[in-house]
Amino acid sequence: MINNNSLYNSPIKQVHNFHEITDIDQRKSFLQGLLNENPDKNIDYAPEEPLTKQQISYYSELLEGRYEKRGSQYIDRYMRAFMMLLTSNRSSGLGFFAKKRKKETEGFLNDFKLDEYSASSTSDEKKAMIKEEWADCAACYISSCTSSKAYSSAFLGMIPMPDKNVAIKIAADIDTALNEVPQTYDLDKRSLPIYEVFVDTYKTLLENGESLFREYILGKR
């Protein structure tokens, strides 16, 4: 289901984009090395365009904002926010808890640095870098779903689901978390930039992703 080319389209054993470094401590160290003009010689880094010091510094800032270290492990704040939105109870958009749920939903969206992205003072270059971080989060979620036997099976993991069904399920997750839940609280226009990045990443990573997402949307009607 995943195309042969990754999100970053790198040759084997060569790092085209620092997001390919999956170990977060190593990723931090790598960026710091670039900033200090002392890159890690153990990593064959071959970017299409060298990063400026300003870009490296901001990528480092984004990384610090996205990952929270607890003990020896890192918590991906973007992924946590996505999962919280996905599991939100949309029916709570009505009634006594509506204001509280709306505030929580806004908080989850802001965990994606949406306030900074939306600010008029944020440059187009920084907005593009924030969107790159969103795309990496989307890629992590999609790849974790397609590689999970539990996610891609039915009846307590006993019956594997067809690839198409798994893809439609992922599309539904993205739509629920970043469109339907925010829409319950009139926040769908705010969440739209994140939603669009996740959908674009879905279409890039999954074979026939564009037609599959279209099929999912048509099936909702």
Side-chain angles (χ1 to χ4, degrees):
M1 184 179 294
I2 297 289
N3 288 338
N4 289 330
N5 291 332
S6 72
L7 186 62
Y8 307 110
N9 199 27
S10 296
I12 296 174
K13 296 182 180 180
Q14 193 175 68
V15 173
H16 169 70
N17 186 297
F18 69 88
H19 287 99
E20 294 171 83
I21 303 171
T22 55
D23 184 280
I24 304 305
D25 281 321
Q26 189 178 15
R27 192 185 296 182
K28 283 186 177 184
S29 177
F30 177 75
L31 286 172
Q32 191 60 46
L34 290 181
L35 196 60
N36 296 334
E37 299 181 1
N38 184 29
D40 188 336
K41 295 179 181 178
N42 295 317
I43 296 177
D44 184 7
Y45 183 53
E48 291 182 0
E49 294 183 11
L51 298 175
T52 66
K53 281 199 171 186
Q54 289 80 7
Q55 288 173 321
I56 298 168
S57 179
Y58 191 62
Y59 276 128
S60 296
E61 182 182 326
L62 289 175
L63 190 149
E64 290 290 341
R66 177 176 170 184
Y67 292 98
E68 173 188 350
K69 193 163 189 177
R70 292 185 180 178
S72 60
Q73 296 187 336
Y74 281 95
I75 304 298
D76 184 342
R77 290 189 177 98
Y78 291 10
M79 189 69 73
R80 181 177 60 190
F82 179 84
M83 295 306 298
M84 293 300 292
L85 288 165
L86 180 60
T87 56
S88 291
N89 183 358
R90 278 170 282 169
S91 65
S92 63
L94 302 173
F96 183 76
F97 293 106
K99 288 185 178 180
K100 179 183 177 182
R101 298 301 186 192
K102 180 174 182 176
K103 187 175 181 179
E104 288 177 347
T105 301
E106 286 179 307
F108 296 142
L109 292 175
N110 286 333
D111 283 343
F112 284 94
K113 293 187 77 71
L114 190 57
D115 274 349
E116 183 170 347
Y117 176 86
S118 304
S120 58
S121 58
T122 302
S123 67
D124 289 343
E125 181 181 54
K126 285 187 175 181
K127 287 183 178 182
M129 294 163 76
I130 293 172
K131 289 172 75 172
E132 189 177 346
E133 209 67 40
W134 294 345
D136 183 70
C137 178
C140 289
Y141 182 73
I142 292 166
S143 63
S144 70
C145 292
T146 56
S147 62
S148 169
K149 289 184 179 180
Y151 186 90
S152 57
S153 58
F155 297 103
L156 301 176
M158 293 185 289
I159 302 177
M161 294 168 58
D163 283 354
K164 178 180 176 180
N165 291 16
V166 177
I168 294 296
K169 185 179 177 182
I170 296 170
D173 287 352
I174 292 171
D175 189 52
T176 297
L178 298 174
N179 177 44
E180 291 184 347
V181 168
Q183 192 175 59
T184 304
Y185 307 101
D186 295 321
L187 295 170
D188 47 311
K189 289 184 179 179
R190 236 176 105 58
S191 66
L192 183 60
I194 310 173
Y195 178 61
E196 289 178 337
V197 168
F198 269 65
V199 172
D200 287 345
T201 306
Y202 174 97
K203 292 176 181 179
T204 298
L205 285 185
L206 297 187
E207 186 177 350
N208 301 317
E210 186 161 357
S211 61
L212 285 166
F213 201 86
R214 188 185 310 116
E215 181 176 338
Y216 161 74
I217 293 297
L218 290 174
K220 288 176 59 179
R221 297 175 182 175

